[in-house]
Amino acid sequence: MSLIAENIRAGHDPASPVLDGMCIEIPRGRTMGLTGPSGVGKTTLARVCALLHRPWSGTVCVDGVEVPTRADAPPETRRSIAMLFQSPRQSTSPRLTLDRIIAEPLALSRTPRGERDPVVRDAAARVGLTADLLRRRPHQVSDGQLQRVCLARALVQRPRYLICDEMTAMLDPATTAALVAVLREETRAGLGVLAVSHDHALLSAWADHVVELPVSDARTR
């Protein structure tokens, strides 16, 4: 079982694609690294794999089922893919407490309120968040703590695939190591991970296989 993006042509200006004929496969239970210089389309490909960017041509298949766009996918398929972004502050609401941020996927899936709290506490503990932090808001915690929140939010969704777009770029080495360790455990349990990073040393230690996008594929973002 895997998530496959095949023959992807995509970008923002049809006359100058960022990606042209790109293919990548993310198997369950493995971490695929994706690297390359700025401008070669790493984020575009990550968003295509997460069903957040519709390619001009090519296909995305999730466990053998072709999915044209996120809107076209059934809820179960949408929940099977989660994404972590470089900036946790841009992907969280400053008005919500951390426990409510983690619980967002549960609220969207209409999980009864009484069942959310233990799931949130478990996910928070798995990523190294102490219970006293959960009533705080984003401005009251560090970038590293907030990225742990974003990872916990992704995990409560129970995804089959996790797309990490420069997830560790704003983190210190200790937090990076801690979150990678969590994801290694999740991968051993069957999660497929796409790890996008400029950090070759990190990908060499983390990923099972690394794909480098060539400079010749770069146009404009």
Side-chain angles (χ1 to χ4, degrees), residues 79-84 101-103 105-106 119-120 122-129 147-164 167 178-179 181-187 189 191-193:
R79 288 193 296 269
S80 74
I81 305 172
M83 188 164 182
L84 281 178
I101 291 171
I102 296 172
L106 302 176
V119 176
V120 168
D122 177 67
R126 284 158 68 193
V127 302
L129 290 170
Q147 192 68 298
R148 290 173 189 262
V149 169
C150 292
L151 177 54
R153 177 176 61 185
L155 295 180
V156 301
Q157 186 175 317
R158 298 185 181 276
R160 300 195 296 270
Y161 302 98
L162 180 63
I163 313 300
C164 302
M167 174 192 80
L179 295 191
V182 172
L183 288 177
R184 283 195 178 116
E185 288 293 324
E186 295 297 323
T187 301
L191 180 69
V193 174

Side-chain angles (χ1 to χ4, degrees), residues 98-113:
L98 303 189
D99 57 352
R100 288 185 62 192
I101 291 171
I102 296 172
E104 284 179 305
L106 302 176
L108 289 173
S109 64
R110 298 186 179 181
T111 301
R113 285 185 178 273

Side-chain angles (χ1 to χ4, degrees), residues 126-206:
R126 284 158 68 193
V127 302
L129 290 170
T130 55
D132 61 294
L133 291 174
L134 297 183
R135 298 307 300 171
R136 298 184 186 180
R137 288 181 167 78
H139 73 277
Q140 297 173 308
V141 298
S142 68
D143 286 342
Q145 289 168 325
L146 194 55
Q147 192 68 298
R148 290 173 189 262
V149 169
C150 292
L151 177 54
R153 177 176 61 185
L155 295 180
V156 301
Q157 186 175 317
R158 298 185 181 276
R160 300 195 296 270
Y161 302 98
L162 180 63
I163 313 300
C164 302
D165 185 17
E166 298 284 1
M167 174 192 80
T168 64
M170 301 177 68
L171 306 182
D172 60 73
T175 304
T176 294
L179 295 191
V180 168
V182 172
L183 288 177
R184 283 195 178 116
E185 288 293 324
E186 295 297 323
T187 301
R188 283 193 279 270
L191 180 69
V193 174
L194 178 64
V196 180
S197 180
H198 286 96
D199 189 335
H200 290 261
L202 173 64
L203 292 181
S204 295
W206 179 12

Side-chain angles (χ1 to χ4, degrees), residues 59-106:
T59 58
V60 178
C61 292
V62 182
D63 296 335
V65 178
E66 184 175 337
V67 184
T69 68
R70 196 172 186 86
D72 297 326
E76 190 274 336
T77 301
R78 291 198 296 270
R79 288 193 296 269
S80 74
I81 305 172
M83 188 164 182
L84 281 178
F85 300 91
Q86 176 176 335
S87 173
R89 299 199 183 278
Q90 292 182 8
S91 57
T92 54
S93 170
R95 298 186 299 274
L96 298 181
T97 55
L98 303 189
D99 57 352
R100 288 185 62 192
I101 291 171
I102 296 172
E104 284 179 305
L106 302 176

Side-chain angles (χ1 to χ4, degrees), residues 1-5 24-27 49 60-63 81 161 163:
M1 304 295 275
S2 59
L3 188 160
I4 302 173
I24 193 166
E25 180 175 2
I26 309 164
C49 290
V60 178
C61 292
V62 182
D63 296 335
I81 305 172
Y161 302 98
I163 313 300

